[in-house]
Amino acid sequence: LLGFTVLLLPLFFLVSIDEVDGDVVVPEFDFYVFAMSFQPEFCYEHRGDDYDGCTHPRKMWKSQLTIHGMWPENVDGTWPSSCTDEPLDINGTILPILPELEQYWPNVKSSTKGKHHSQFWSHEWTKHGTCSGLTQKSYFQETLKHFVSTPDMVGQHYGKTLKKAELINAYDGNVALVCQHKRYLSEVRVCLNMVSGVPTSRMPCPAVVLKEDNCGDEISITKFSGVVK
């Protein structure tokens, strides 16, 4: 049994597929890849782009990875993509949960008042969410519900290095660590079981996911160069 830790968000997010209205597609995939991004490294890789979330990042992002996405995938390494042409309902789906998205699933490329601020979530819905079998509200709420807490050692080594084996152990093993240049922590990917598209519990990641791990034995934890809020 994997000692998976999630950050339990308010009961507002505990919504099942049976509690929401709308057409859904039949999910045809085996499990979810749940990807978390380390924003200090993302911002360093895009240091010339002057992204709002990088020049004024939140303090939490120094020690806590944020959601990149929850992606349907198959054990053979294939995955469904863009299964319907249903556009994201910004007013009905995004605005009611915007404060939570800003913190746990942020779009650091745009300011909160920018006209393209919802573009990241629209991309995740169009490419991945439309294949989940879930309605829009349920897809975003279930993703937030399964937010993966980052081990304390990441914040403790902010701007320093740590041992890859120790970080894997802190995540209870069976996790893919993705690094820029095989050294700088960029993403962490775990796998989730699902029933009729609804994510349930953490599962051992298949080999097709684990092979995405490209970090060396020593991992560097990048610091923000901007002013942290």
Side-chain angles (χ1 to χ4, degrees):
L1 179 65
L2 294 167
F4 181 46
T5 301
V6 298
L7 180 64
L8 296 178
L9 295 176
L11 292 177
F12 174 78
F13 294 112
L14 305 184
V15 178
S16 71
I17 192 170
D18 296 326
E19 294 173 319
V20 291
D21 297 322
D23 296 330
V24 296
V25 298
V26 177
E28 297 182 354
F29 60 97
D30 297 325
F31 65 99
Y32 283 109
V33 172
F34 199 98
M36 302 285 293
S37 295
F38 191 50
Q39 297 299 347
E41 178 56 27
F42 175 85
C43 290
Y44 179 79
E45 292 296 323
H46 295 271
R47 55 194 178 277
D49 294 322
D50 195 33
Y51 291 148
D52 186 78
C54 294
T55 55
H56 300 91
R58 297 197 179 197
K59 184 177 180 180
M60 167 190 162
W61 302 342
K62 293 170 53 179
S63 58
Q64 175 67 66
L65 277 72
T66 59
I67 298 171
H68 183 171
M70 187 172 71
W71 308 331
E73 189 156 334
N74 297 307
V75 294
D76 63 1
T78 63
W79 62 87
S81 178
S82 303
C83 295
T84 76
D85 58 2
E86 178 188 357
L88 180 62
D89 179 2
I90 304 301
N91 290 332
T93 299
I94 298 301
L95 292 184
I97 57 173
L98 187 59
E100 288 75 21
L101 292 173
E102 294 286 5
Q103 180 147 329
Y104 301 108
W105 197 350
N107 176 10
V108 299
K109 292 183 177 182
S110 171
S111 68
T112 56
K113 296 182 180 179
K115 65 179 181 178
H116 300 298
H117 191 55
S118 62
Q119 193 171 62
F120 173 43
W121 303 306
S122 292
H123 168 79
E124 290 299 310
W125 165 251
T126 299
K127 184 175 181 180
H128 305 291
T130 57
C131 300
S132 67
L134 303 175
T135 62
Q136 293 185 22
K137 290 182 180 179
S138 189
Y139 176 74
F140 280 90
Q141 291 165 357
E142 286 290 339
T143 303
L144 286 167
K145 172 185 170 182
H146 286 83
F147 180 90
V148 181
S149 292
T150 303
D152 291 341
M153 67 183 307
V154 171
Q156 293 165 356
H157 289 81
Y158 183 66
K160 304 175 183 177
T161 61
L162 51 74
K163 299 289 186 181
K164 175 181 179 178
E166 294 177 355
L167 183 56
I168 290 177
N169 184 62
Y171 273 106
D172 296 322
N174 205 269
V175 60
L177 304 180
V178 181
C179 288
Q180 290 289 341
H181 313 295
K182 298 183 179 182
R183 179 178 178 88
Y184 302 95
L185 183 66
S186 174
E187 287 208 347
V188 172
R189 296 172 185 171
V190 300
C191 300
L192 301 177
N193 285 302
M194 69 89 181
V195 177
S196 298
V198 179
T200 56
S201 59
R202 186 173 168 184
M203 59 172 274
C205 284
V208 293
V209 176
L210 295 179
K211 73 178 182 181
E212 298 168 357
D213 186 313
N214 69 341
C215 299
D217 293 338
E218 293 276 343
I219 295 178
S220 294
I221 307 301
T222 305
K223 296 179 67 173
F224 278 119
S225 58
V227 177
V228 180
K229 291 190 245 184

